[in-house]
Amino acid sequence: MGNRFASGKNSIAECDRCGFRYKLTALKKEVVKTKLYNILVCPQCWNPDQPQLQLGMYPVDDPQGIRDPRPDLSYQVSGLLADGYSGGGSRVFQWGYNPVGGASGFDILLTPNNLVLAVELGTVTVSVT
């Protein structure tokens, strides 16, 4: 049994978007959000289906909280410093690079710098026996 429609290989059709004439076989079907519409467009007007338009079509599970969390026991509290203040703990970092950590008078309270540099100069004598 034959096909109910003619092949249309020599047919001329208009683009549904721009109105220019093309061969019917050159026109492509328009797809938006995975739905096929009855619109035939030319190769210049045709756009592929955008994945960004499919947001919300598929469930996404992105939990934020943790069930039954436990406190972090790895934090070590250090003793008092020479000035009487707490030394912070095991997660207090200070960097010796200027300007981080009390580089200017206005940020001493925000980024205190308790790093102390001790330098001694001397001579070394090496003897070979």
Side-chain angles (χ1 to χ4, degrees):
M1 184 165 175
N3 194 353
R4 293 179 41 187
F5 298 103
S7 66
K9 63 182 179 180
N10 295 322
S11 299
I12 295 175
E14 286 185 3
C15 173
D16 289 335
R17 186 168 292 162
C18 67
F20 286 115
R21 289 184 165 194
Y22 290 90
K23 282 192 168 187
L24 182 60
T25 56
L27 297 178
K28 297 181 179 183
K29 294 182 179 180
E30 184 81 335
V31 177
V32 179
K33 288 184 78 168
T34 68
K35 292 184 181 178
L36 187 63
Y37 289 90
N38 193 17
I39 297 175
L40 293 176
V41 293
C42 62
Q44 285 78 22
C45 293
W46 183 78
N47 290 324
D49 194 16
Q50 295 293 324
Q52 294 142 344
L53 297 176
Q54 298 174 13
L55 292 176
M57 293 180 68
Y58 304 103
V60 176
D61 188 24
D62 189 17
Q64 299 296 316
I66 298 173
R67 185 188 311 268
D68 299 329
R70 296 290 180 249
D72 187 7
L73 301 177
S74 67
Y75 183 72
Q76 301 288 325
V77 177
S78 63
L80 297 178
L81 297 175
D83 59 1
Y85 292 105
S86 173
S90 62
R91 294 192 188 99
V92 176
F93 297 102
Q94 290 186 356
W95 308 95
Y97 176 75
N98 190 18
V100 176
S104 302
F106 66 87
D107 69 349
I108 289 177
L109 296 176
L110 298 174
T111 57
N113 191 355
N114 301 324
L115 298 175
V116 179
L117 177 65
V119 178
E120 292 184 20
L121 295 176
T123 60
V124 176
T125 305
V126 179
S127 62
V128 179
T129 55

